[in-house]
Amino acid sequence: MRTARLLGAVVTTIMLVAVAGCSSDEEPAAAPSVRDTAAPPPAAPPADACYALPFNAVLRPTNDAEPVPCTGRHTTRTLHVGRIDPVVDGHLLAIDSDRVQKQVADTCRARTARHLGGSAEDQRLARLQGAWFSPTLSQGEAGALWFRCDLVLLAGPDSLAPLPLRTAGLLATDNALDRFGTCGSTSPANPRFKRVTCSRPHTWRARATIDLAPGARYLGKAAGKAADARCRDIDARIAADNLRLRWSFEWPTKDQWDHGQRYGYCWTPDPA
């Protein structure tokens, strides 16, 4: 984690040179000129670029990879390059402070949603997500205030899938979730369960998201029971045989809960 301040104070030390042994009628020595030699801050990344990043790279807060042609294989695409406002209530915040990172995350989530289109439910169920990067510590100390919002497609639990050439409005198309939705390699109750895009082989599908009751405690029994009943109703509406229902309600992870996610996933078999 980067704990230094985003903008380091620039201290210019001016050495005063004393000239000794000068008579009163001699011309005084000219004061040395002082020039502004501060280097410009590092340039922001391009606003419309593609990258061939591995999965672990999008988990890091910074990225200095070189762009690749968007017409070729790529795993991330930049949707927006914005400017960080590090001053809150008169205080200069560190680049990794919660306030600065929330500012970046909120902007990038909104930009990603706007770019993909579709409903809020489509966006919850899709494996298309936003990733964001900010300057390195040294870049921040040099005055860099940019941040970068990228689009990624999660192929599995620890891998990215190549993005299509055109990504704008992907979730506004018919049957978008058949390709980009969240599916499972097996039942969520199985220890070998893995999330995959629905275009890959799978046996279960995340059919819907279910909002948890306001004020619910994490893993609370009453909230879980109500969500499970709603998930059963979803399965009953789509099952070919109402006498053989199979469903699973999945709570958000503790980390997701701590970051404000108050909905879980309703899973049902999807043999197709």
Side-chain angles (χ1 to χ4, degrees):
M1 297 293 290
R2 296 162 296 173
T3 56
R5 292 290 182 182
L6 177 62
L7 299 178
V10 179
V11 180
T12 302
T13 302
I14 301 176
M15 300 298 294
L16 299 179
V17 180
V19 180
C22 295
S23 64
S24 60
D25 58 346
E26 291 181 350
E27 291 290 330
S33 62
V34 178
R35 296 183 180 179
D36 183 5
T37 59
D48 184 13
C50 296
Y51 301 85
L53 300 184
F55 176 80
N56 60 354
V58 303
L59 302 180
R60 298 172 185 152
T62 66
N63 181 259
D64 60 0
E66 290 295 321
V68 299
C70 291
T71 52
R73 189 183 188 281
H74 58 280
T75 54
T76 81
R77 181 170 197 138
T78 300
L79 305 182
H80 175 66
V81 174
R83 182 178 174 82
I84 293 170
D85 181 4
V87 180
V88 178
D89 298 331
H91 298 285
L92 185 64
L93 301 182
I95 197 169
D96 63 345
S97 68
D98 289 344
R99 289 288 292 272
V100 169
Q101 290 301 309
K102 184 177 186 304
Q103 177 189 135
V104 173
D106 288 349
T107 300
C108 289
R109 288 192 184 103
R111 288 277 180 168
T112 302
R114 189 185 314 165
H115 180 82
L116 292 174
S119 66
E121 178 73 343
D122 292 334
Q123 292 168 7
R124 284 181 175 184
L125 292 171
R127 298 288 283 168
L128 289 158
Q129 296 185 13
W132 41 89
F133 304 99
S134 50
T136 64
L137 178 60
S138 59
Q139 289 172 333
E141 290 174 341
L145 289 173
W146 55 263
F147 65 91
R148 180 179 122 203
C149 306
D150 282 16
L151 177 69
V152 301
L153 172 58
L154 303 175
D158 55 5
S159 61
L160 300 179
L163 288 169
L165 180 60
R166 298 183 182 276
T167 57
L170 275 183
L171 295 183
T173 60
D174 293 339
N175 303 317
L177 293 180
D178 289 339
R179 182 179 179 188
F180 302 112
T182 299
C183 286
S185 57
T186 185
S187 163
N190 190 313
R192 299 175 66 182
F193 167 79
K194 292 182 180 179
R195 300 173 198 275
V196 296
T197 54
C198 291
S199 60
R200 300 180 68 180
H202 63 274
T203 58
W204 282 64
R205 180 187 291 250
R207 296 284 181 185
T209 62
I210 297 176
D211 291 317
L212 293 154
R217 293 180 295 105
Y218 184 61
L219 301 182
K221 187 174 294 185
K225 183 177 180 179
D228 187 72
R230 290 181 59 191
C231 187
R232 180 190 183 282
D233 291 342
I234 291 171
D235 190 34
R237 290 197 299 269
I238 63 176
D241 184 355
N242 282 355
L243 298 179
R244 299 184 62 185
L245 299 181
R246 296 173 66 199
W247 73 94
S248 178
F249 172 71
E250 180 190 26
W251 279 80
T253 66
K254 186 62 168 61
D255 183 64
Q256 290 168 338
W257 181 271
D258 289 343
H259 282 83
Q261 182 173 318
R262 294 296 185 268
Y263 64 85
Y265 290 89
C266 174
W267 293 84
T268 70
D270 188 31

